[in-house]
Amino acid sequence: MLLGFMGVSNAQAQNQECMTNLSIYVEHAKVKNYEAAYTPWKMVYDNCPDINRANFIYGEKILADKIEKSSGAEKDGFVKDMLALYDNSAKYFPAKYSPGVVGIDKALFLYDNKMASDDELYKLLGDAFEKDSKNFKNPKALYLYFSSLVDLHKGGKKDLQEVFDVYDNVNDKIEEENKKLTGIITTLLPKDSTGTITSKEKRSLKIATTNSESYGKIAGSVDSKLGALADCDNLIPLYEKSFEEKKGDVTWVKRAVGRMFNKECTDDPLFQKLFEAQLALDPSASAYVYGGTLKMKNGDTKGALADFDKAMSLETDSYKKSDIAYKVAVINKRKGSKSTARKYAQMAISANKANGKAYLLIANLYATSANDCGSTPFEKRAIYWKAADMARQAGRVDPSVSGAANQSAASYAAKAPSKTDIFNSGMAGKTVTFSCWVGGSIKVPNL
């Protein structure tokens, strides 16, 4: 009994010592005096690792400072301590540090300190993604996961099919996360415009907008990294080679036909084979989009539009319906049918108010119609104001496309009548009506 009492007393004393040192190192760390924070932090971390999550939040910063200021064997020791810290974070606070979070933390630490090869990065991030894709949200980590694989492929260590598989997984994750963010933005933008938004909602809107922009930039970087690997010259032989083996795999078939569609490889007979395979496996809405594409190419416009409308009627998920409508809009734009393209782009927006790509498509349709809309040079160029407004709206509702939206809006605005043009025309404050397919009107800015 006496020994037991002494054990409890010692534990209580140690716990009190940990609490005292915890308070000391947190105060030092708050003002970034990591050198002074190290000794009390080490005492708490070694003896009471689960007493407070600050051990890991501040511990990462304290060790990073040590690594930066040391070299040789001493630095190697601190690096090992950091990697152990990431592992222990999951051990003592599993609810806060999931496998995905820990894997990302370790990979980014090694990458930032130039301590990992492409093989090591890809394995770390691949394991994290497979075990815990739900929490694999870091945009930089998503890019590194894909980028390291492409580099391995270029070095002859990974095949092209794996590159495409990971590309699809990464893109799906980006779209999934951006969907959540644009949902917040769509809800809060009307409140922001009417001045009824609370300060908390304002912060949420700002965070969602910033994060959506980050995902947009990463999506662009991922596409750039893929580059010519996804051109028809690479896709067709790869899918031809795998078709017989994979034609019963619905996921492979849908991704293959989707990629060929997106890269405009639809003239090749393989596209027809893939489409028919998808139709047999999964006669879903998207299959009718591809069927309509083939009919459009064969001159059967009426049949194509019937397939497109069938696709729209079959899809019940609003986001998927929006994606289908956007694809149909793109097809009609390629064919030069601007009014039909706008119709489906507007359907895409109706199904998902945050479909920024649909707004950008409409903006482009307007901008490329300048010579067809108006009887005077001023009226013709006035359409660019309408195009610029639509491009700006794309960036507002979907910040992930804000880079392209801002660039497009600036380009269109530069082509619109200048202040001098407005003054010389006497049109300031007046309305220009468009009698072409665009319809509607635009109010000329006041000087």
Side-chain angles (χ1 to χ4, degrees):
M1 288 178 64
L2 178 61
L3 288 172
F5 177 75
M6 289 174 64
V8 171
S9 298
N10 287 335
Q12 289 175 338
Q14 185 181 63
N15 190 65
Q16 184 56 50
E17 187 180 1
C18 283
M19 290 301 295
T20 300
N21 279 284
L22 172 68
S23 179
I24 292 170
Y25 86 68
V26 165
E27 289 305 311
H28 286 308
K30 280 181 179 179
V31 294
K32 300 183 179 180
N33 187 358
Y34 300 125
E35 189 65 36
Y38 178 75
T39 299
W41 166 78
K42 192 75 165 65
M43 179 272 156
V44 181
Y45 176 67
D46 287 344
N47 295 284
C48 312
D50 60 348
I51 197 169
N52 194 296
R53 195 156 69 96
N55 282 338
F56 299 94
I57 296 173
Y58 286 118
E60 183 178 14
K61 297 177 180 179
I62 291 167
L63 286 175
D65 181 69
K66 283 289 187 184
I67 291 168
E68 184 182 351
K69 295 175 179 177
S70 60
S71 60
E74 184 183 31
K75 182 175 182 177
D76 291 340
F78 288 130
V79 167
K80 288 180 182 178
D81 288 345
M82 181 73 91
L83 294 173
L85 179 92
Y86 290 133
D87 288 330
N88 285 332
S89 66
K91 178 180 177 181
Y92 294 109
F93 294 93
K96 295 293 184 181
Y97 299 96
S98 68
V101 171
V102 172
I104 288 171
D105 284 344
K106 292 173 78 171
L108 293 184
F109 165 72
L110 292 170
Y111 174 79
D112 290 340
N113 287 280
K114 298 179 174 58
M115 297 175 181
S117 65
D118 286 327
D119 277 305
E120 291 168 323
L121 276 178
Y122 181 61
K123 186 176 189 320
L124 259 177
L125 293 170
D127 288 346
F129 192 92
E130 288 175 19
K131 291 177 184 175
D132 188 25
S133 63
K134 176 185 175 183
N135 293 302
F136 201 108
K137 301 178 182 181
N138 185 292
K140 182 178 178 181
L142 283 166
Y143 175 73
L144 283 177
Y145 176 34
F146 180 68
S147 175
S148 59
L149 171 59
V150 173
D151 290 340
L152 289 171
H153 166 72
K154 289 178 179 177
K157 295 182 178 180
K158 297 290 181 181
D159 63 36
L160 189 57
Q161 184 60 58
E162 187 170 354
V163 172
F164 288 153
D165 289 342
V166 171
Y167 173 84
D168 287 328
N169 291 336
V170 167
N171 257 352
D172 287 348
K173 185 60 182 177
I174 290 171
E175 288 180 9
E176 175 191 330
E177 295 304 321
N178 195 54
K179 177 180 172 182
K180 297 173 188 174
L181 297 169
T182 54
I184 295 170
I185 292 165
T186 301
T187 301
L188 298 180
L189 268 182
K191 291 186 176 184
D192 190 41
S193 62
T194 57
T196 57
I197 193 168
T198 66
S199 57
K200 183 178 179 181
E201 289 172 334
K202 191 86 170 176
R203 285 194 299 274
S204 296
L205 177 59
K206 183 178 180 181
I207 291 169
T209 298
T210 300
N211 289 341
S212 180
E213 288 174 354
S214 296
Y215 280 118
K217 290 174 183 175
I218 290 300
S221 297
V222 167
D223 283 338
S224 296
K225 189 72 179 182
L226 182 65
L229 291 177
D231 287 351
C232 299
D233 289 343
N234 286 320
L235 291 177
I236 293 168
L238 175 70
Y239 293 150
E240 281 281 14
K241 178 184 176 182
S242 305
F243 181 76
E244 288 302 321
E245 177 190 350
K246 297 279 193 177
K247 64 183 180 182
D249 183 340
V250 66
T251 300
W252 182 88
V253 169
K254 289 173 75 172
R255 285 181 167 182
V257 72
R259 184 169 288 108
M260 287 193 71
F261 171 84
N262 290 334
K263 289 295 181 178
E264 299 185 47
C265 309
T266 52
D267 287 333
D268 193 271
L270 178 62
F271 182 78
Q272 174 86 37
K273 286 168 63 177
L274 286 166
F275 157 68
E276 290 173 353
Q278 179 175 340
L279 200 60
L281 293 168
D282 181 26
S284 59
S286 60
Y288 282 95
V289 174
Y290 305 135
T293 303
L294 291 170
K295 288 180 180 178
M296 184 78 81
K297 282 186 173 294
N298 293 328
D300 183 8
T301 302
K302 184 177 179 181
L305 291 175
D307 275 1
F308 296 150
D309 289 336
K310 177 73 172 177
M312 293 293 291
S313 66
L314 282 175
E315 188 54 70
T316 56
D317 181 277
S318 61
Y319 285 92
K320 291 180 181 178
K321 185 187 284 281
S322 180
D323 287 341
I324 286 170
Y326 174 73
K327 285 180 180 178
V328 175
V330 170
I331 293 167
N332 282 279
K333 176 178 178 288
R334 289 172 184 166
K335 283 293 180 181
S337 181
K338 293 182 178 180
S339 59
T340 305
R342 179 178 63 178
K343 169 191 165 186
Y344 282 100
Q346 288 172 331
M347 291 169 72
I349 293 167
S350 294
N352 172 21
K353 290 181 173 59
N355 192 329
K357 293 185 295 184
Y359 281 102
L360 280 176
L361 189 146
I362 295 174
N364 180 263
L365 292 172
Y366 289 165
T368 54
S369 298
N371 289 330
D372 305 320
C373 297
S375 55
T376 68
F378 186 93
E379 290 177 354
K380 290 177 186 291
R381 291 170 59 198
I383 196 74
Y384 288 112
W385 280 317
K386 198 174 182 73
D389 285 345
M390 192 63 69
R392 292 188 195 100
Q393 183 65 5
R396 280 193 289 269
V397 301
D398 183 4
S400 72
V401 302
S402 60
N406 293 337
Q407 187 176 4
S408 296
S411 174
Y412 300 149
K415 295 175 182 177
S418 65
K419 290 184 178 181
T420 302
D421 295 328
I422 296 171
F423 177 79
N424 291 337
S425 67
M427 291 291 291
K430 295 181 180 179
T431 298
V432 175
T433 301
F434 303 110
S435 57
C436 61
W437 73 269
V438 172
S441 60
I442 191 80
K443 186 176 180 182
V444 179
N446 282 307
L447 293 173

